[in-house]
Each structure stands twice: as structure tokens, then as C-alpha cells.
Amino acid sequence: MCGIVGFIGKKDASSILIEGLSKLEYRGYDSAGVAIFDGERINVTKCKGRLVNLENKLQEEPLKGTLGIGHTRWATHGEPSDLNAHPHSNEDETISVVHNGIIENYIHLREWLISKGYKFVSETDTEVIPNLIDYFYNGDLVDAVMKAVAKMEGSYAIGVICSKEPDKLVAVRKDSPLIVGLGKGEFFIASDIPAILNHTRDIYLLNDKEFVVMTKDGVKLLSQEGEEIKRDIYHVTWNADAAEKGGFEHFMIKEIHEQPKAIKDTMTSRVMPGKPITLDKITITKEQIENIDKVYIVACGTAYHAGIVGKYVIEKLARIPVEVEVASEFRYRDPIINERTLMIVVSQSGETADTLAALREAKANGARVIAVTNVVGSSVSREADDVLYTWAGPEIAVASTKAYVTQLIAMYIIALFFAENKKTLSESEIEEIKEAMLILPEKAKEVLENKETIQKFASKTYMHKDMFFLGRGLDYAVAMEGSLKLKEISYIHSEAYAGGELKHGPIALIEKGTIVIAGATQEKLYDKMVSNIKEVKTRGANVLGIAFEGHTEIEKTVDSVLYIPEVNDVLSPVISVIPLQLLSYYMAIQKGCDVDKPRNLAKSVTVE
Ligand code: M6R
């Protein structure tokens, strides 16, 4: 949802900003731009489309300077165009701003500024920011930014430079991510860590409404009252390579292949044979667990689908009622929340605006919140009472894959933790599930070794316009995720249905040759699922079944079958989702789609 970078130091700002933006392109790629101070004035180059367009423009007409800001855009207010691209400036181009977020009261501010004689050239909400700063500017950029921000409602991470104060970069955040990179005689701002990792591993994590003032000599953090804030340096330990493609053609396929490791890492030191589940950063007590009468799992997109699996397993293993909701609905529907409610928010980025708002709503009503997130120091991790990190490593592809399987692992860990505390399972039952979990990385590797079957299926079916995913129980939860993946990156229309629901309407869509992917891993539901497969086969569907190895009776019912290694039924989503991820990937490749940067999407949705 837009990425911003900023640099001040002695090196050429242009190349550093472009390099940073290339690491942030996953956040949006409708347009890109930079503003660089050349010693006298600020020069802006920006254009519609991918970053490469900006790079070409800068090659033709380089911008010189050692202070600058950059932006890659995911359009909200105003179509993707050269004019709406950031940075935005005031009329005399002395102040330049990059912004990630939405200024909700921009219409009011714009009218107010117009009444004061200001002129606007773009359709964006952002353009009010440099003009507001200009309005308040009286020889002190920090003061002007503070006064401008006090007028702004909504979400923002902004970087500001001003030609009247040439050795300064000012930044501030509220509800949009922003970090500060601390180099030697050079400093950075960025929406995400990979953007600066080639330059420094030492960063400051910012809280809402904290201001950053950078010069070549150092960085100051200020509160909105202007008081200096002391902050510990956070040292990034993961490798920059983890955010590179490492020989794979796309981030998505690389991340699919990283799943065995991500699953293992997420269990490390938490799931151990013969030992209770160990959750270092979780302080919820046994009494508090016993007191919970309702769990809400709230998330968006793929994380929501992980939450659906969470509902199945927490209810099954820990016998606590669970509701799963998409965050954008939850936050506006006046849900029943009290001190006996536990909310689990699931968010890869930890910055999704709706999820964060739901978390705040729950806390304001007295609920305890556990965050399941992949990003250390992200907003949800800081605002929740407890955090369970998914150790998936940086996920760059817009389509979430390794984050999903690690979110599933987090759901099992939480369910087992509750089951242990509430004694809803015997020790031997818990041990059995833990043992089965510990072999999941090996099983995931086996699925990846068998990817040719899926590749062949994709090459035969990629030209279809519609596909259906069916399943019952946990297979239905996985069907939803498979369907989302397919839509997202291959633009094939698809629907996921619970097997038993089909005859209540959707079966009318099945005709000769319709592709149906049917998951049949759940032993108790197997026969029922086979009946549902027969229902669509009778109407002409071409069915690919997904079943555990050895369960060959399915061959009588389907057109083709993909066998996956058998695991404990309750853990099947971790394994059965992998062929569906591969299917969407190969379909997208066959269709020539841009896998890592699907149209209209951004990795991190930090606006409502
Ligand atoms: O960062 P989050 O997990 O909060 O993101 C939630 C969704 O935006 C995300 O899962 C989205 O659906 C992905 N593009 C799915 O592949």
C-alpha cells in the first residue's frame, strides 16, 4: 500500500532510493517517483507504471544530490498517472512529500487551503500535505510538519524535505509503517526493512505520532509535544538474501519452496516431544485461559483463511467456541466483546489497517489480544497483549504462501497450548499431535518433490475461465485459500464451496468440462466427499482429487488424482494447500501473468 524511502548522507541519493524502492515495489507499483535536493532546489522525477519506467527516466536525466525521498504507489485517491504519482510538492516546489496512507479529511483541508489561495494539480489526498506544511512554515520545518500533522486525520507515514532547510529530512507515522535506518554518517527512512538492509542492520522502530528529524550528523526522535524520545536500536538479524530470489524465477515459487523451513522454524523451541508447549512471549495465565468464553479470530485475506483452520482446531482440541471474521466487517458491526473474550489477530505484515482497527476495538472493550504476525515490531505486535511470531522470514510475493502455512502452525500451537491448560486432551493425545507436527517439514518437502503432476495439470487447464474448489471440514478451509490464490495471480474466476452446500445452488454452474478441484483428506468425511464428487462428475465436471497416499479408491470417482503424503487429519491443511499454491503459480505462468506483482493488488493493505 505504497512504499516510501528517504536518504540523507554523502552518497548519491538517487541510486539508494531506487534500490530501496525496488525492495518496496511489492507494496504498490502503479507509479514511482523521487525528489532529490541538488544543493539549490528540489528536483522531482515521477511517472506512471513500474519502477523501471522511473529508472529509465532517471538514466536519461539523472538527478544529483545526497538528500532525497522516494515513493512507489498503490493508488487510492486518483488514478495511476504521472500527475498523481508522488512526491507531491507545494506550488513553489520548496517542499516535497512522500506519503503512505490516506488523509481522510483531505477534502476539507483542500477547500480550506484553496480559500487561502493555494492551488492543487493532482487528484490525490497527499497533495494537501506539502501545502499544509507550506502554510505553517515560518523558518522551522519540524514545527511546520508538526502543525500540519495536527490538522490531518487518517493514516500516514510521510517523508518531507525542504530546500530552505537543505540538511534535513523530517518524517512521521500514524497507522502506516515506518522505520529508521541508522548507518555511519547516513540515515534512512523506509516503509519496510528490506529497503535499507544493504546499508544498515540497525534500526529504530517508530510508534504512532513519533517524529523523526535526520541530518547527516544524526537522528532525533521527537514526541508530538516536541520532547526528545530515547529508543533502543533494533538489530536486524536476518539476511538480506532472505529477501532476494535466490535462483528462483519468482519470489512466490521461492517462498513456496521455503515452506518446509518456515514450518520447522515456527515450531522450533515451542513444540518439543515430551515437553509442554513453550510460548516465550505469551503471558496469558492458566486462570485467564479458563476464563475465556469466546475467541474471535480476526484477519483479512489469506490470514483469514488461516483463522478458519484456527476455528476448527481450537474448537476441536481446546473446546472453546471460536468465531472467525474478516476484520473489515468485524470493526463496524458492534460485536459482543468483554473481559472474557480473547481475540486472536492474524496478520503476516502486522500492518493491515482493518486488522489493526479490529484489535483496537477489542482492546477498548476489555478483551485480551494475541497477535500472530510475521513482522517483529509491527503495529499489531506492539499493540497486542501477547505475540506469537510466525518465523516465515520476509514474504515478498503479493500472494501469501509461507506466511499461511506458518499461521496454520501458530493456530495448532495455540490450540494445543489451550488444550494443555484446560486439560481437554490427554497427555498422550497431545504428544501424538506434536509428533505429527514435527514431521510436517519432511512431508511438505515430499509434496514439493512431486510438483510435475500439478505443472502438467496446469498446462492442460490454464485456459479455463472458471474453476471450483470443493472440500468438507478442513478441506473446505483449504479450498477457500486455493481459490483465493488462483484468482489473485492467474485472474481465473474461481469459487470454493463446502461439498454439502453445492446442491443448494452452485451445482447449477457445473457443465461439461468444468474444472473441479476436490480435497478429500478427512477420513470421517471421505465418503460424503466422494458422493459430492459423483454429483459434479454426473454433470460433466473434470475433477482433480487431492487425497492421501494409499487412499486409491478415489481413483474410481475422479478424472485425475494428486496424492499427498498422509499426515494426521487435523494437520492436513499444512500439506494439502501446497499443491493448490503450485497450481495457481503454474496457471499464472502459463497465462503469462506477473506472478509476484498481480494487477490491482499490493502486499500490505495499510489503508481501509
Ligand atoms: O499482512 P496481512 O496478513 O494482514 O494481509 C492480509 C491480506 O491482505 C493478505 O493475506 C492477502 O489476502 C494476500 N494477498 C493473499 O495472498
Side-chain angles (χ1 to χ4, degrees):
M1 232 47 4
C2 301
I4 69 171
V5 283
F7 172 76
I8 187 163
K10 294 191 182 94
K11 295 180 189 147
D12 173 50
S14 173
S15 49
I16 289 175
L17 295 176
I18 292 292
E19 184 208 335
L21 290 177
S22 72
K23 303 285 179 344
L24 296 178
E25 235 192 331
Y26 71 87
R27 301 179 64 83
Y29 31 83
D30 290 331
S31 62
V34 292
I36 295 175
F37 178 68
D38 69 2
E40 278 178 28
R41 60 186 311 271
I42 296 171
N43 299 299
V44 175
T45 300
K46 54 185 187 174
C47 55
K48 183 180 163 178
R50 300 282 161 102
L51 186 60
V52 66
N53 299 350
L54 176 68
E55 285 181 76
N56 291 341
K57 259 189 151 180
L58 286 170
Q59 247 159 29
E60 280 165 26
E61 275 182 68
L63 295 185
K64 293 276 162 237
T66 57
L67 164 68
I69 49 179
H71 189 271
T72 178
R73 179 167 187 245
W74 186 80
T76 56
H77 292 60
E79 58 168 11
S81 68
D82 288 359
L83 208 59
N84 289 332
H86 298 214
H88 287 282
S89 308
N90 57 341
E91 197 180 354
D92 67 7
E93 297 177 345
T94 53
I95 296 167
S96 243
V97 171
V98 284
H99 167 220
N100 167 31
I102 291 179
I103 306 304
E104 287 167 2
N105 59 339
Y106 84 100
I107 294 177
H108 164 76
L109 292 173
R110 194 173 159 127
E111 281 165 5
W112 181 71
L113 286 161
I114 289 171
S115 76
K116 305 274 177 210
Y118 282 83
K119 292 194 182 75
F120 287 82
V121 292
S122 79
E123 301 157 304
T124 66
D125 53 334
T126 301
E127 203 183 351
V128 298
I129 306 174
N131 287 299
L132 265 182
I133 297 171
D134 178 282
Y135 177 82
F136 289 114
Y137 190 76
N138 200 4
D140 183 345
L141 182 62
V142 177
D143 179 67
V145 173
M146 283 185 167
K147 286 183 173 142
V149 162
K151 288 249 172 220
M152 285 157 36
E153 287 166 19
S155 57
Y156 46 81
I158 59 173
V160 187
I161 57 173
C162 172
S163 56
K164 293 177 187 160
E165 297 189 36
D167 183 29
K168 200 171 281 170
L169 194 160
V170 179
V172 58
R173 66 156 281 187
K174 180 185 162 270
D175 296 336
S176 292
L178 190 68
I179 54 124
V180 175
L182 309 165
K184 289 203 178 82
E186 56 184 25
F187 303 96
F188 310 80
I189 54 162
S191 300
D192 199 358
I193 297 170
I196 57 162
L197 217 45
N198 282 340
H199 304 280
T200 179
R201 297 181 155 271
D202 290 336
I203 63 170
Y204 285 145
L205 298 167
L206 296 179
N207 292 318
D208 274 353
K209 296 201 175 164
E210 289 181 345
F211 291 78
V212 184
V213 185
M214 293 179 167
T215 66
K216 286 191 184 73
D217 302 320
V219 176
K220 254 193 213 170
L221 301 187
L222 300 176
S223 70
Q224 52 185 333
E225 290 77 33
E227 280 158 15
E228 196 166 340
I229 300 166
K230 291 277 162 247
R231 178 66 33 86
D232 290 341
I233 294 174
Y234 171 70
H235 187 73
V236 181
T237 50
W238 43 270
N239 207 317
D241 293 353
E244 300 292 343
K245 280 188 210 146
F248 286 92
E249 203 181 334
H250 297 99
F251 280 113
M252 182 180 177
I253 191 72
K254 176 194 174 228
E255 289 162 7
I256 289 174
H257 279 84
E258 284 171 344
Q259 291 182 114
K261 180 174 185 309
I263 295 167
K264 186 165 184 277
D265 289 350
T266 303
M267 291 192 292
T268 299
S269 78
R270 294 165 171 168
V271 183
M272 292 171 283
K275 291 194 181 154
I277 295 285
T278 314
L279 299 178
D280 44 348
K281 293 247 162 59
I282 299 222
T283 55
I284 190 167
T285 61
K286 196 173 178 338
E287 291 66 43
Q288 283 166 326
I289 294 173
E290 265 158 16
N291 216 16
I292 299 168
D293 64 5
K294 162 85 135 310
V295 175
Y296 279 113
I297 304 181
V298 181
C300 303
T302 286
Y304 165 72
H305 293 154
I308 294 173
V309 173
K311 172 183 166 71
Y312 277 80
V313 299
I314 294 173
E315 289 191 343
K316 187 175 170 61
L317 307 183
R319 310 306 296 158
I320 309 174
V322 183
E323 275 189 49
V324 197
E325 281 202 49
V326 288
S328 53
E329 287 298 311
F330 181 88
R331 63 183 291 193
Y332 291 118
R333 73 162 184 81
D334 197 12
I336 300 166
I337 308 170
N338 56 42
E339 301 71 35
R340 302 192 65 185
T341 311
L342 175 76
M343 177 186 266
I344 303 174
V345 290
V346 187
S347 174
Q348 187 285 129
S349 61
E351 301 293 349
T352 299
D354 287 319
T355 307
L356 194 54
L359 177 160
R360 289 176 181 157
E361 170 78 13
K363 285 200 78 173
N365 285 285
R368 191 177 177 95
V369 180
I370 299 181
V372 172
T373 183
N374 196 35
V375 179
V376 176
S378 58
S379 298
V380 303
S381 76
R382 282 186 279 165
E383 296 195 27
D385 299 289
D386 294 307
V387 187
L388 183 61
Y389 285 111
T390 51
W391 297 119
E395 192 181 64
I396 306 296
V398 167
S400 186
T401 54
K402 61 177 181 170
Y404 173 74
V405 294
T406 57
Q407 286 160 355
L408 298 182
I409 297 295
M411 294 297 124
Y412 296 119
I413 290 177
I414 291 172
L416 286 177
F417 181 64
F418 289 169
E420 269 176 5
N421 278 277
K422 292 189 73 206
K423 301 214 180 309
T424 47
L425 293 180
S426 67
E427 275 178 29
S428 64
E429 284 169 322
I430 291 177
E431 278 309 303
E432 194 186 318
I433 298 174
K434 283 198 297 187
E435 272 168 33
M437 284 176 78
L438 290 166
I439 55 171
L440 285 172
E442 282 312 309
K443 303 284 179 186
K445 263 189 212 156
E446 284 175 39
V447 183
L448 290 168
E449 279 156 16
N450 189 18
K451 54 182 184 286
E452 281 71 28
T453 318
I454 280 289
Q455 214 166 349
K456 275 190 206 139
F457 183 80
S459 67
K460 281 193 235 141
T461 54
Y462 72 94
M463 70 300 274
H464 282 257
K465 293 227 170 338
D466 298 287
M467 286 198 191
F468 292 84
F469 290 79
L470 296 187
R472 282 174 169 258
L474 286 167
D475 287 328
Y476 173 44
V478 174
M480 290 185 218
E481 176 56 10
S483 173
L484 174 65
K485 283 292 87 91
L486 191 69
K487 289 181 191 111
E488 238 182 335
I489 59 163
S490 66
Y491 317 141
I492 295 172
H493 168 252
S494 71
E495 302 281 352
Y497 286 106
E501 185 62 14
L502 210 63
K503 52 187 160 301
H504 298 286
I507 202 161
L509 294 168
I510 305 290
E511 53 187 22
K512 192 164 183 310
T514 306
I515 302 288
V516 173
I517 319 279
T521 69
Q522 301 296 295
E523 198 186 337
K524 274 195 191 154
L525 299 166
Y526 187 80
D527 293 341
K528 305 266 175 228
M529 195 58 217
V530 167
S531 304
N532 297 138
I533 295 173
K534 282 185 182 152
E535 286 161 12
V536 292
K537 272 299 303 165
T538 314
R539 279 140 187 108
N542 176 356
V543 182
L544 169 70
I546 297 184
F548 285 145
E549 276 158 5
H551 294 240
T552 50
E553 52 290 24
I554 196 169
E555 286 174 20
K556 292 184 206 134
T557 331
V558 297
D559 296 277
S560 46
V561 59
L562 181 92
Y563 290 112
I564 53 173
E566 180 151 14
V567 294
N568 183 315
D569 270 16
V570 87
L571 305 176
S572 70
V574 180
I575 300 302
S576 63
V577 76
I578 300 174
L580 305 189
Q581 297 166 340
L582 289 167
L583 179 69
S584 65
Y585 175 77
Y586 289 122
M587 292 279 201
I589 296 289
Q590 289 284 347
K591 290 187 71 184
C593 302
D594 189 343
V595 172
D596 284 337
K597 296 189 184 106
R599 69 185 180 206
N600 306 338
L601 297 179
K603 179 71 183 159
S604 182
V605 186
T606 53
V607 293
E608 243 193 273

